[in-house]
Amino acid sequence: YVTEFRCIWPDGTVRWIDARGRVLFTPAGDSRRAVRFVGTVLDVTERKRVVDQLADLRADVAEVLTGHVAGLGARRHARLG
């Protein structure tokens, strides 16, 4: 399994968790049931924060560049018109 989820601590703090692993089951023939989970659980809150900041910055840059390009086109059109 691979999953990412949000946990809210009793004090209201939000943490993001990445959990990865596999489930070990009883041998074939028995009623199939999980007997062990092997894996890792990591707090990825900081990584998630940085990825969100980068997405915001990219959106800001795209907005500035779009406005800049539109402005260049308008000035060029005014010169030629």
Side-chain angles (χ1 to χ4, degrees):
Y1 60 88
V2 175
T3 187
E4 187 174 276
F5 55 91
R6 180 180 62 141
C7 286
I8 302 174
W9 286 177
D11 68 357
T13 304
V14 175
R15 306 301 292 184
W16 284 91
I17 306 299
D18 179 278
R20 299 166 182 257
R22 62 188 177 120
V23 182
L24 303 176
F25 292 92
T26 55
D30 291 341
S31 58
R32 192 162 162 86
R33 64 185 179 90
V35 293
R36 182 175 295 167
F37 291 86
V38 179
T40 61
V41 177
L42 298 172
D43 182 337
V44 293
T45 305
E46 184 63 17
R47 183 193 74 195
K48 191 100 166 139
R49 185 188 65 75
V50 169
V51 167
D52 288 347
Q53 280 183 333
L54 285 172
D56 289 345
L57 287 171
R58 284 185 179 134
D60 291 347
V61 167
E63 187 176 323
V64 167
L65 290 176
T66 300
H68 182 69
V69 169
L72 288 175
R75 285 195 300 272
R76 183 171 183 232
H77 181 68
R79 275 197 322 253
L80 297 175

